[in-house]
Structure formats: C-alpha cells, structure tokens
Amino acid sequence: MNHTTQKDSEGEEEEEEEEGDSDFSKQGPISEFFDKLLSSFLRNLLCFRLVHNMLNVPTQSFPAPSSQQRVSPGGSAGTGRNKVALKPGHSLMDWIRFAKSGKDLTGLKGRLIEVTAEELEKHKTREDCWTCIRGLVYNITPYMDYHPGGESELMRAAGIDGTDLFDQVHRWVNYESMLKECLVGKMSTKPVLAKSAVISPPPAPAALAPTTFFAPPPEKDGRPRYDWFQTDATVHLVVYAKRKIPSSGCTVVDLREGVLRIEVLLHKMSYVIHLRLTDKVEERVSVQTAFSVGKIQVMCRKLSAGKWKSLGEALELHNTFLRKQDRTVLYRDCVLVSQTEVNHNTQVYRLQLPPGSVMHVPVGKHIYLKANIQGVEVVRPYTPVDRTLWTPQDSAPDKDLYLMVKVYSDGLFTPHLYQMNPGTIISVSGPEGSFSLRPLRDVTHLFLVAAGTGFTPMARLIHTALREIETIKKTKLLFFNRKEEDILWRSELDELAATNERFEVDYILSEPCENWSGERGRVSECLLREKIQKTDESKNFACLCGPNAFTELTIGLLKQLGFDEQELHAFQG
C-alpha cells in the first residue's frame, strides 16, 4: 500500500515501475476451470456492485510520516528511491511470473469461499495474512516479499477490511489484476444503502421531457442542474454549476455512438449527465463555458434535421452529484500525435482525444495513462502542461493533451511510451487530484518548490498566477535538479523571469559542473530561509512536488519557517 508524490516527480516513475498492474491467467485444464469459475463469480459481484468504483483518491495522511513508504533507506532527501529494498528476484515481473506458475496462492486449492468477519480476523499473522478490499478477500501472504512498500504496510490491513487504507494509497492500482491468483472469495455481508451520493437523483423517466424533468430546484439547493433546447439542426445541453468554475475549465465530454456523458468537476465533487440521445448526431461536440457564472453549454449537430420530442434516455448514474473519488476511473482511447525532446531524458508527448471527446484539465490536476506491457496492465499518473510555458493570451485553446515525461531506462512504463510511434493508441483517464485554486485568491507571495519533473504541475500554475490572480505580487520557483542539463524549460523560465517582474526562479544543483555559478546543494533549512522571505505583512502559500523524501523533508522545513498546513500543498499522485 504505497504512497508517493505525483509521478511526474524526479525518480518517482522509476520508483513505481515495479508496482505496475498485471493481467495474467493460470495455465492448464484445472486453471482454465478456475478462470471460468472466477469470471462467473466476478460477474455476480458486479451485479451487486461490489467491485464498482474500484479505487479512491489518496490523502496526505497515509502512510504515516515514519512509514517505510516515505523514508528512503538512507534517510536522505532527493535520492529518488523511496521504496523498501526488495530481495533479489522479487520485482513486479518476478511476481507476475510467480503468480502465473500455477501454484496455489490461496491455500484453498482453487475453491472460492464466502468469508465472515470472524473468519477474516483469524488470518492476521505474517505467515497467514488475509485482507478484504471492496468486498473481496485475498490471501496476501505470498505477496509480502514482493510488495515495494514492505510487509509492515500490508500487515496494517491484516485480518480486517483494508479498503479504507487502500483507498488512501493509489487510486490507479489494479489490485484485482495484481492479486487475481490470491482471491479467496467474497465477504459475507448484508446489502447496505450506498452513502456516496450527496443528494440522490430522482428516478429517471425513459424519455426526458424539458417541461417536467427540468423544473428549477429550490433556491437553497446547491446541487448543479441542467436544461436543454434545440433547433432543427442542433441540440444544446446547458449545465448550471451554481458556482464559479476555474478558468482552465472543469468539463469532460465523451460522445460515442449516440451516448453522451458529461462530467463537471467542482472541487472534490463530480456532477455527471449520462444519456442515450433520442436520435443520431455527429460524433463531435462543442463546449462553451461562462466561467464567472458557472454555466457550461454543450452543443451537438443532428444528422437528420427536425425536432426531438425528448432529449433521450437516462443511463447509469445520470444526473448524480458525487464525490469524485467515488466514481470509477473512465478511460478513452487517444492517439499519440508527436513527441518532442525537452532535454537528454525528457520528452513532451502530444495526445489527441477522440472526435467525440473534449477534456478540460483544471490547473494542478493530473490524468492517468494506461497501457498493456508484456501482458501487464500498467497505469501511471502525469500532469498535463501547455504547449509552451508562456502561451500567448490571444492564441486559440488547444484541445490536445501535452505531457512532459522523464524516461527511465530501467523503468517499465516510460521506455514503452518512448518507443511508441505517432498514431499509436493509448488509454487516457479524466482529470484527478485534490488541488484547488481557492486558497490562492488572496495570496500575495506564491512559492513553488520542485525537484526534477516535479516541475510539471508548476508550469500551468505559474501561468495562472501571473495571468489571472492579480493579488499575487511575486511567484518564486525554487527548482532542484542534479545537473544543469536536467533543468526543464530553462530558456523559457529565464525569459519569463527577465520579462515579468512578478516571477523569479532559482536553480539549485546537487551535482553541478565546476563552472556552475548558481546555487549548489540540496534542500535545507538554511537554503529555504535564504530564498523564502515570509513576513507578517504578506500572505504566503507554498506548493511542492518531487520525490517522497524530498517532499516530506521540505514540508517539515517550511513548517519550521512558519508555514502552517493551510499554507502548504504537496502534489500527490
């Protein structure tokens, strides 16, 4: 149950490569029978929605600061490798090979059982460890030596329902695939009413007619609502968020074969419209947003002219307002358009969304990429950047996604990404993450502390702070790297600092060449005290992103300088 800072961070992707997801099957007649039984079992579980909404967003409170997950073996910051050292032959691929060997990893000889809470509690030792994740019980004893976080993290969930602990870790880890061969069975539980919805939606009629379904809610109801209107050639759906929305947008639209799904991200909440439209439309959409009033208008073009009697048929989770973390991660197939070299080991990848998709990724949010590598489903989070650090104000918005990715030669995911050719399809999720611009509304001094590719969430944040938040008098970036050639977008950062008096950047190198005239060393109290001047007259805020140890150390040092929890945000993946 590992926890890391956002995987754009220096060394973090390499750190997680052995934790990728897997999709493997048993071998032989008995195993084929087991797979059929397992498939039938999972289908039944899905009917009862026991495996719906697979993973949740992590928080910054788990693992504990003293956990092996957060501390590098040497206890130093900035090393980039923060996981527990595994024994030789215990990598992710070693686990996959071991799981595919046909050995009985449950101790039940292929049987699936129903587990009571009393039975689960009996299996809580290192030699006999079961846990429950979202209604499914696994024997995780065989996985102990392969877990990058160490056995102590797994033992926290021994003999109990470990769903909450797991939910606070990696939303993107496919535990069902990784622990497929360890599945013991399902928990014996009584059905309970789901509590995730803030307000339960009204029963949806088969056809949505504007005269009855779209009655305005009561004045005190802060729940978003929607309406629609049409012409002979177009149909328009309008969402009223009832609050201001970020200028970077917060809407994700997917239109496929007449099915329209709209998700509006409102801080920690998610409002979804999900419809099968009455008639056929072109598979492309147009989205217009009035940011200050919180109005979003989605337009589709009809294939056949004429008036519709209703908008369409309500589908699953239509008109629901839930916590974002309670929704299943949805992927769409994007096309790799190009990759551009930034420095010796970092590329910018340009991804094109499908024709029926529009995705606004709010500042500070990240997305997940998913790929099948050597039969293993691997998922990694990345923060989108703009085409350049300083996009002209009058330029047309770009509908493509740009990802700045550092390639690790011994990694699992980035070498696969690096070898992709233009035209390759890759699965991309919608926006994720807990960052909000709200705390910056009255900030006067914004400090950004980044290590390596931990710079990526800072790129759009710099743009937003200088363009849209007039109260911020100074934005200062402290950019830590090993060597001079590792500095990302240095020329653009230098140009921005030279042309905008509200922006300042300092580069700090841990392994500089002899003629380097800038700052040397690693993050320390002395260095931060010199670079970050916090006064009583200023209102300060600091954002951090980098390897786990770097982030943890920097948070502690900034607190020593007088920053409190409300003045800090660490980008987490």
Side-chain angles (χ1 to χ4, degrees), residues 5 60 363-364 435-437 439-440 443 445-451 454-455 457-459 461-462 465 469 472 475-480 528 532 540-546 550-551 554-555 558 563-572:
T5 53
Q60 298 178 23
V363 171
F435 179 77
S436 172
L437 288 171
L440 304 185
V443 164
H445 290 73
L446 177 62
F447 300 99
L448 310 176
V449 187
F455 165 72
M458 310 303 183
L461 187 52
I462 291 170
I469 309 179
I472 298 180
T475 297
K476 186 168 186 176
L477 172 65
L478 302 183
F479 199 177
F480 291 83
L528 293 180
I532 296 178
N540 305 273
F541 196 87
C543 294
L544 308 91
C545 190
F550 172 89
T551 302
T554 306
I555 288 175
L558 288 175
F563 284 81
D564 58 35
E565 292 285 351
Q566 289 71 38
E567 296 175 317
L568 295 170
H569 179 85
F571 287 99
Q572 307 286 340

Side-chain angles (χ1 to χ4, degrees), residues 123-198:
H123 303 270
K124 59 181 180 180
T125 66
R126 169 63 178 82
E127 293 72 27
D128 180 21
C129 184
W130 291 9
T131 192
C132 173
I133 304 176
R134 216 168 301 284
L136 297 179
V137 178
Y138 298 92
N139 181 352
I140 56 176
T141 312
Y143 185 58
M144 286 285 182
D145 291 335
Y146 295 86
H147 182 51
E151 66 178 62
S152 60
E153 291 297 327
L154 290 181
M155 289 302 296
R156 289 164 61 87
I160 63 172
D161 189 327
T163 304
D164 289 341
L165 290 174
F166 186 84
D167 284 350
Q168 296 171 15
V169 185
H170 285 317
R171 175 174 169 82
W172 43 273
V173 171
N174 188 346
Y175 65 92
E176 292 173 290
S177 178
M178 175 132 357
L179 298 177
K180 176 182 177 183
E181 313 303 330
C182 300
L183 180 63
V184 171
K186 68 175 182 178
M187 283 296 295
S188 174
T189 58
K190 296 180 180 180
V192 295
L193 182 65
K195 299 179 181 180
S196 57
V198 173

Side-chain angles (χ1 to χ4, degrees), residues 216-502:
E219 283 297 318
K220 294 183 179 180
D221 185 0
R223 185 173 180 270
R225 69 178 183 91
Y226 76 98
D227 204 341
W228 73 282
F229 64 93
Q230 62 180 312
T231 68
D232 282 341
T234 60
V235 59
H236 303 254
L237 193 150
V238 183
V239 177
Y240 301 95
K242 299 185 181 179
R243 66 212 77 191
K244 291 183 179 180
I245 55 181
S247 59
S248 54
C250 60
T251 308
V252 182
V253 181
D254 293 288
L255 177 61
R256 297 286 182 282
E257 299 178 348
V259 175
L260 177 66
R261 185 184 188 274
I262 301 172
E263 182 174 12
V264 181
L265 304 177
L266 302 170
H267 194 37
K268 296 180 180 180
M269 303 300 294
S270 161
Y271 179 62
V272 164
I273 296 167
H274 195 195
L275 299 164
R276 184 177 300 280
L277 299 176
T278 292
D279 207 344
K280 295 180 179 180
V281 295
E282 293 182 8
E283 204 161 89
R284 58 189 179 93
V285 294
S286 173
V287 179
Q288 294 183 329
T289 305
F291 303 104
S292 60
V293 297
K295 177 181 174 182
I296 302 158
Q297 183 168 318
V298 178
M299 187 270 286
C300 306
R301 293 192 174 275
K302 300 174 180 177
L303 286 180
S304 301
K307 292 296 179 66
W308 294 359
K309 293 183 179 180
S310 66
L311 180 57
E313 175 190 357
L315 299 178
E316 184 182 24
L317 297 177
H318 169 68
N319 197 28
T320 55
F321 190 39
L322 312 178
R323 294 183 303 168
K324 172 61 178 173
Q325 68 181 41
D326 291 331
R327 293 204 188 274
T328 301
V329 179
L330 177 68
Y331 290 87
R332 71 265 316 137
D333 289 338
C334 294
V335 177
L336 176 62
V337 177
S338 63
Q339 59 186 90
T340 306
E341 184 177 282
V342 179
N343 65 12
H344 64 102
N345 61 6
T346 304
Q347 307 276 326
V348 169
Y349 294 84
R350 181 177 183 176
L351 304 178
Q352 184 180 67
L353 292 161
S357 294
V358 173
M359 186 187 298
H360 299 154
V361 182
V363 171
K365 303 290 187 182
H366 57 270
I367 52 92
Y368 298 121
L369 299 186
K370 179 172 69 173
N372 190 287
I373 304 173
Q374 301 178 28
V376 181
E377 185 181 85
V378 183
V379 183
R380 292 289 182 264
Y382 296 100
T383 302
V385 296
D386 292 326
R387 284 173 290 181
T388 63
L389 179 63
W390 195 241
T391 304
Q393 194 164 7
D394 56 355
S395 64
D398 197 326
K399 296 182 179 180
D400 292 344
L401 293 173
Y402 295 82
L403 305 176
M404 186 181 292
V405 180
K406 183 175 181 179
V407 179
Y408 294 91
S409 58
D410 60 345
L412 182 63
F413 193 86
T414 55
H416 173 81
L417 191 62
Y418 181 74
Q419 293 170 7
M420 283 184 176
N421 296 317
T424 303
I425 303 295
I426 187 167
S427 296
V428 178
S429 80
E432 302 284 344
S434 61
F435 179 77
S436 172
L437 288 171
R438 289 180 182 178
L440 304 185
R441 288 175 180 171
D442 56 351
V443 164
T444 61
H445 290 73
L446 177 62
F447 300 99
L448 310 176
V449 187
T453 45
F455 165 72
T456 52
M458 310 303 183
R460 296 179 70 205
L461 187 52
I462 291 170
H463 186 281
T464 301
L466 298 181
R467 275 271 173 82
E468 302 173 16
I469 309 179
E470 296 180 355
T471 57
I472 298 180
K473 299 177 181 178
K474 177 69 72 175
T475 297
K476 186 168 186 176
L477 172 65
L478 302 183
F479 199 177
F480 291 83
N481 286 278
R482 290 193 177 99
K483 300 180 180 180
E484 191 171 358
E485 58 265 31
D486 294 328
I487 302 174
L488 301 171
W489 274 354
R490 182 180 181 182
S491 61
E492 295 193 88
L493 288 169
D494 287 341
E495 181 180 356
L496 181 58
T499 57
N500 193 311
E501 60 182 11
R502 295 171 59 209

